[in-house]
Amino acid sequence: MKSLAWALLAALLVGCGAEDESPQTQIRLVLGAIEAGAEAGDVSAIAEHISHHYADGQGNERRARVRYNQFHVLRNRRRPLLTREASVALIEPGLARAVVHAGLVGS
């Protein structure tokens, strides 16, 4: 199984859950929505959760990340994912980093 490491550095906390939920719970809800979008082949469901201020360690910005996701969704349409949350860290209010390891199921 090919394993992918996703590092999302995004403003995930704005409007992603009820105010009485912890920030970590809100982030996990967003990660679940991203996973469901990926399994359904819905790139827009993934893209709506990527901040317009997205940046990663490889120099990618939001546009490049959305295109990368489009490529993988088109190539692996409707294949189940196995995911494991490696870490969720709050950097500052409105900014979090989540690392999730994901693998595609099937051939």
Side-chain angles (χ1 to χ4, degrees), residues 12-80:
L12 293 173
L13 303 179
V14 179
C16 67
E19 288 182 19
D20 59 342
E21 294 174 336
S22 73
Q24 289 87 350
T25 299
Q26 293 177 28
I27 292 167
R28 287 180 178 98
L29 290 171
V30 170
L31 292 173
I34 292 169
E35 180 179 357
E39 286 187 341
D42 186 354
V43 176
S44 64
I46 301 167
E48 74 180 72
H49 296 291
I50 301 173
S51 172
H52 290 280
H53 305 288
Y54 175 88
D56 64 26
Q58 289 83 33
N60 294 312
E61 295 178 349
R62 183 180 193 277
R63 185 175 176 171
R65 175 54 51 192
V66 170
R67 286 185 177 172
Y68 178 83
N69 291 340
Q70 287 171 327
F71 168 76
H72 278 285
V73 167
L74 289 172
R75 186 170 184 219
N76 302 294
R77 193 169 285 280
R78 301 203 195 300
R79 289 178 62 191

